[in-house]
Amino acid sequence: MSTLPPPLPLPVILLLSGSLRAASSNETVLRTARAAAPAHVRTVLYEGLADLPHFNPDDDAAPLPGPVAGLRAAIAEAAAVLICTPEYAGTLPGSFKNLLDWTVGGTEICDKPVAWVNAAAPGRGEGSEATLRTVLGYTGADIRDEACARIPVDRNKLAADGTITDESVRTRLAGILTLLADAGQAVSLGSSGPDRAE
């Protein structure tokens, strides 16, 4: 009697918030993404931003500081990464730039599908997006433009748990997670899509 092969593990999407504020719009978007995630996708919300030490190249060597090792392990275990970060003074908040700095010296995010959601009001947030694209370029991340989106948060459409109730937003976030999960699985199977320039 033949046996079926074991099912593939669910692709994990790591959710990175660039804000330290409690109940920030960025956290709201990512928590809504968790709630709206399709059944074939597992999400993990990274919550160690405040624990990361200031980046120091002298410390970017084994053994890594504990919080840094935890960050890199979380990225390594994910099939893809979804970021939602605010803009501060026209660029990324220092705490989130610090997180990204800690990823440059490792290879965990290299070639990994990454996208972001801009939760800022219309006409804002372009500076953080531009900086994010530049820094992710240095890390070698595979930016998936088709999964990047602008989804402003309407505070009048929040549930008691702080997630967004608007079904169109939840559907859109579910679609973004699906795009990233599919991209991540393609990479894991050795088919990362079109050849990329060296």
Side-chain angles (χ1 to χ4, degrees), residues 1-6:
M1 181 177 179
S2 63
T3 58
L4 295 173

Side-chain angles (χ1 to χ4, degrees), residues 37-94:
H40 67 281
V41 176
R42 187 162 70 90
T43 59
V44 173
L45 181 62
Y46 176 74
E47 298 183 289
L49 179 62
D51 299 324
L52 292 170
H54 294 299
F55 177 71
N56 182 343
D58 291 340
D59 295 331
D60 195 0
L64 291 168
V68 176
L71 168 68
R72 290 190 178 177
I75 295 172
E77 291 165 8
V81 178
L82 179 62
I83 295 168
C84 192
T85 180
E87 179 177 280
Y88 190 75
T91 187
L92 294 173

